[in-house]
């Protein structure tokens, strides 16, 4: 029943993250709106993933023990998403700086390393010694935002699905054979400085 669960949620995360990465490229309000919406959607999806997996193993997601585990997963996904804010902000700033530009300047390259890196990459991919116009780089910048959003959200939701499945499998086997649940699964290591 759960054989393709992680892949399904990775794909859903990639689609959602790509959409939010594209939304982040909208001037002025793009980043705040995209990040807020993205955080809310990922939190809801994380809770939904954990609840579905718990139900598939016969555990009630409304049970207080299950709620603690679900909250841990949601908290971890929130921390993982925070890492995405700065790269998206830099990408949006680069997109704004290059919009309407006709010529390169050293200041533009220095202030926006992403643009300089994309220029070099496009030079290497093109004919030897070719010059890459600013407008060509400007067309590629939104795709960087999409890749950042899609990649991170895919990883976050995939990890939530895999962790929830491992937890429920372990709990199921412990219940089946009358074994105590390992201590690592009953305490929140995130509060002690590690991953939960």
């Amino acid at each position: 029943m759960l054989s393709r669960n992680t892949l399904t949620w990775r794909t859903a995360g990639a689609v959602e993250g790509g959409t939010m990465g594209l939304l982040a490229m909208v001037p002025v309000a793009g980043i705040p709106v995209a990040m807020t919406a993205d955080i809310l959607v990922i939190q809801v999806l994380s809770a939904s993933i954990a609840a579905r997996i718990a139900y598939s193993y016969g555990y009630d997601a409304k049970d207080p023990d299950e709620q603690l585990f679900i909250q841990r997963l949601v908290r971890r996904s929130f921390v993982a998403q925070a890492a995405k804010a700065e790269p998206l902000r830099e990408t949006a700033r680069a997109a704004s700086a290059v919009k309407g530009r006709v010529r390169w300047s050293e200041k533009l390259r220095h202030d926006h390393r992403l643009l300089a890196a994309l220029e070099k990459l496009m030079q290497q991919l093109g004919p030897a010694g070719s010059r890459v116009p600013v407008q060509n780089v400007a067309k590629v910048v939104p795709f960087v935002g999409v890749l950042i959003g899609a990649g991170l959200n895919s990883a976050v939701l995939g990890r939530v699905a895999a962790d929830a499945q491992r937890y429920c499998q372990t709990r199921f086997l412990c219940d089946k054979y009358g074994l105590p649940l390992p201590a690592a699964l009953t305490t929140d290591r995130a509060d002690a400085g590690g991953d939960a």
Side-chain angles (χ1 to χ4, degrees):
M1 204 166 120
L2 295 174
S3 60
R4 296 185 186 189
N5 189 48
T6 303
L7 179 61
T8 300
W9 287 113
R10 278 187 178 280
T11 304
V15 170
E16 189 275 339
T19 304
M20 293 303 163
L22 194 57
L23 178 62
M25 297 300 110
V26 173
V28 184
I31 288 284
V33 169
M35 289 307 295
T36 303
D38 192 36
I39 288 170
L40 291 174
V41 169
I42 293 297
Q43 301 309 300
V44 168
L45 288 175
S46 295
S48 175
I49 291 167
R52 285 176 188 224
I53 291 172
Y55 282 125
S56 71
Y57 277 90
Y59 297 111
D60 183 7
K62 295 176 185 173
D63 180 80
D65 289 336
E66 291 303 317
Q67 282 297 312
L68 286 173
F69 179 71
I70 291 170
Q71 289 169 7
R72 257 187 262 149
L73 285 176
V74 171
R75 187 169 45 245
R76 271 191 22 205
S77 67
F78 178 77
V79 170
Q81 279 187 289
K84 182 172 58 176
E86 190 57 31
L88 276 179
R89 187 179 359 255
E90 290 300 319
T91 305
R93 284 184 55 235
S96 176
V98 80
K99 187 175 185 177
R101 297 275 310 225
V102 178
R103 296 193 174 151
W104 286 103
S105 71
E106 285 308 312
K107 182 175 177 8
L108 180 65
R109 287 182 182 108
H110 182 266
D111 290 348
H112 301 284
R113 289 187 213 124
L114 173 64
L115 296 176
L118 286 173
E119 178 190 22
K120 286 181 183 179
L121 177 67
M122 291 172 80
Q123 281 174 343
Q124 289 177 352
L125 295 175
S130 66
R131 190 175 122 346
V132 178
V134 172
Q135 296 91 345
N136 290 2
V137 174
K139 292 175 187 175
V140 174
V141 172
F143 293 108
V144 173
V146 169
L147 289 174
I148 291 170
L152 189 67
N153 283 8
S154 175
V156 166
L157 291 184
R159 186 171 175 192
V160 166
D163 288 351
Q165 192 166 345
R166 279 192 298 271
Y167 171 79
C168 289
Q169 285 172 343
T170 304
R171 185 166 171 202
F172 178 80
L173 290 172
C174 287
D175 290 348
K176 182 176 180 178
Y177 294 107
L179 302 169
L181 199 59
L185 297 179
T186 59
T187 59
D188 191 353
R189 290 186 291 159
D191 295 336
D195 283 340

